[in-house]
mmCIF file of all heavy atoms in Angstrom:
data_model
loop_
_atom_site.group_PDB
_atom_site.id
_atom_site.type_symbol
_atom_site.label_atom_id
_atom_site.label_comp_id
_atom_site.label_asym_id
_atom_site.label_seq_id
_atom_site.Cartn_x
_atom_site.Cartn_y
_atom_site.Cartn_z
ATOM 1 N N SER I 34 9.168 95.993 104.675
ATOM 2 C CA SER I 34 9.309 94.740 105.412
ATOM 3 C C SER I 34 10.380 94.879 106.488
ATOM 4 O O SER I 34 10.292 94.271 107.557
ATOM 5 C CB SER I 34 9.660 93.599 104.454
ATOM 6 O OG SER I 34 8.569 93.324 103.584
ATOM 7 N N GLU I 35 11.404 95.698 106.211
ATOM 8 C CA GLU I 35 12.409 95.981 107.232
ATOM 9 C C GLU I 35 11.809 96.799 108.377
ATOM 10 O O GLU I 35 12.098 96.551 109.548
ATOM 11 C CB GLU I 35 13.585 96.713 106.620
ATOM 12 C CG GLU I 35 14.414 95.874 105.670
ATOM 13 C CD GLU I 35 15.650 96.633 105.209
ATOM 14 O OE1 GLU I 35 16.546 96.865 106.046
ATOM 15 O OE2 GLU I 35 15.691 96.999 104.031
ATOM 16 N N HIS I 36 10.993 97.789 108.042
ATOM 17 C CA HIS I 36 10.268 98.519 109.088
ATOM 18 C C HIS I 36 9.476 97.536 109.952
ATOM 19 O O HIS I 36 9.482 97.631 111.178
ATOM 20 C CB HIS I 36 9.274 99.505 108.466
ATOM 21 C CG HIS I 36 9.875 100.733 107.863
ATOM 22 N ND1 HIS I 36 10.966 101.380 108.391
ATOM 23 C CD2 HIS I 36 9.504 101.454 106.773
ATOM 24 C CE1 HIS I 36 11.242 102.448 107.652
ATOM 25 N NE2 HIS I 36 10.370 102.512 106.663
ATOM 26 N N LEU I 37 8.789 96.615 109.294
ATOM 27 C CA LEU I 37 7.949 95.657 110.013
ATOM 28 C C LEU I 37 8.800 94.760 110.904
ATOM 29 O O LEU I 37 8.430 94.474 112.054
ATOM 30 C CB LEU I 37 7.148 94.824 109.018
ATOM 31 C CG LEU I 37 6.225 93.772 109.631
ATOM 32 C CD1 LEU I 37 5.183 94.416 110.537
ATOM 33 C CD2 LEU I 37 5.535 92.958 108.522
ATOM 34 N N ARG I 38 9.950 94.320 110.388
ATOM 35 C CA ARG I 38 10.816 93.458 111.198
ATOM 36 C C ARG I 38 11.330 94.185 112.441
ATOM 37 O O ARG I 38 11.333 93.629 113.540
ATOM 38 C CB ARG I 38 12.005 92.975 110.361
ATOM 39 C CG ARG I 38 11.663 91.872 109.378
ATOM 40 C CD ARG I 38 12.904 91.424 108.618
ATOM 41 N NE ARG I 38 12.682 90.186 107.905
ATOM 42 C CZ ARG I 38 13.639 89.460 107.338
ATOM 43 N NH1 ARG I 38 14.907 89.881 107.403
ATOM 44 N NH2 ARG I 38 13.367 88.327 106.723
ATOM 45 N N GLY I 39 11.769 95.432 112.263
ATOM 46 C CA GLY I 39 12.236 96.193 113.418
ATOM 47 C C GLY I 39 11.146 96.400 114.445
ATOM 48 O O GLY I 39 11.374 96.277 115.660
ATOM 49 N N THR I 40 9.942 96.704 113.960
ATOM 50 C CA THR I 40 8.794 96.894 114.848
ATOM 51 C C THR I 40 8.464 95.605 115.589
ATOM 52 O O THR I 40 8.250 95.602 116.808
ATOM 53 C CB THR I 40 7.576 97.361 114.030
ATOM 54 O OG1 THR I 40 7.901 98.563 113.331
ATOM 55 C CG2 THR I 40 6.367 97.597 114.916
ATOM 56 N N THR I 41 8.426 94.509 114.848
ATOM 57 C CA THR I 41 8.096 93.205 115.435
ATOM 58 C C THR I 41 9.102 92.806 116.505
ATOM 59 O O THR I 41 8.725 92.341 117.596
ATOM 60 C CB THR I 41 8.060 92.132 114.326
ATOM 61 O OG1 THR I 41 7.056 92.478 113.376
ATOM 62 C CG2 THR I 41 7.775 90.755 114.900
ATOM 63 N N LEU I 42 10.400 92.983 116.200
ATOM 64 C CA LEU I 42 11.430 92.606 117.165
ATOM 65 C C LEU I 42 11.285 93.409 118.454
ATOM 66 O O LEU I 42 11.371 92.842 119.564
ATOM 67 C CB LEU I 42 12.816 92.824 116.552
ATOM 68 C CG LEU I 42 14.008 92.500 117.455
ATOM 69 C CD1 LEU I 42 13.997 91.039 117.885
ATOM 70 C CD2 LEU I 42 15.325 92.839 116.747
ATOM 71 N N ALA I 43 11.068 94.698 118.347
ATOM 72 C CA ALA I 43 10.926 95.524 119.548
ATOM 73 C C ALA I 43 9.711 95.102 120.370
ATOM 74 O O ALA I 43 9.785 94.988 121.605
ATOM 75 C CB ALA I 43 10.811 96.996 119.157
ATOM 76 N N ILE I 44 8.594 94.859 119.705
ATOM 77 C CA ILE I 44 7.376 94.434 120.412
ATOM 78 C C ILE I 44 7.627 93.124 121.144
ATOM 79 O O ILE I 44 7.266 92.966 122.320
ATOM 80 C CB ILE I 44 6.198 94.307 119.427
ATOM 81 C CG1 ILE I 44 5.762 95.687 118.933
ATOM 82 C CG2 ILE I 44 5.024 93.576 120.083
ATOM 83 C CD1 ILE I 44 4.744 95.632 117.796
ATOM 84 N N GLU I 45 8.270 92.176 120.462
ATOM 85 C CA GLU I 45 8.521 90.874 121.088
ATOM 86 C C GLU I 45 9.473 90.996 122.269
ATOM 87 O O GLU I 45 9.284 90.335 123.296
ATOM 88 C CB GLU I 45 9.070 89.906 120.041
ATOM 89 C CG GLU I 45 8.035 89.506 118.998
ATOM 90 C CD GLU I 45 8.599 88.625 117.891
ATOM 91 O OE1 GLU I 45 9.832 88.420 117.858
ATOM 92 O OE2 GLU I 45 7.810 88.142 117.068
ATOM 93 N N GLU I 46 10.494 91.833 122.152
ATOM 94 C CA GLU I 46 11.428 92.028 123.266
ATOM 95 C C GLU I 46 10.725 92.648 124.472
ATOM 96 O O GLU I 46 10.920 92.219 125.619
ATOM 97 C CB GLU I 46 12.588 92.930 122.830
ATOM 98 C CG GLU I 46 13.585 92.265 121.898
ATOM 99 C CD GLU I 46 14.712 93.202 121.503
ATOM 100 O OE1 GLU I 46 14.637 94.408 121.802
ATOM 101 O OE2 GLU I 46 15.681 92.714 120.885
#
Side-chain angles (χ1 to χ4, degrees):
S34 293
E35 291 186 69
H36 286 324
L37 180 60
R38 284 182 167 191
T40 303
T41 299
L42 179 60
I44 290 171
E45 291 176 353
E46 287 180 351

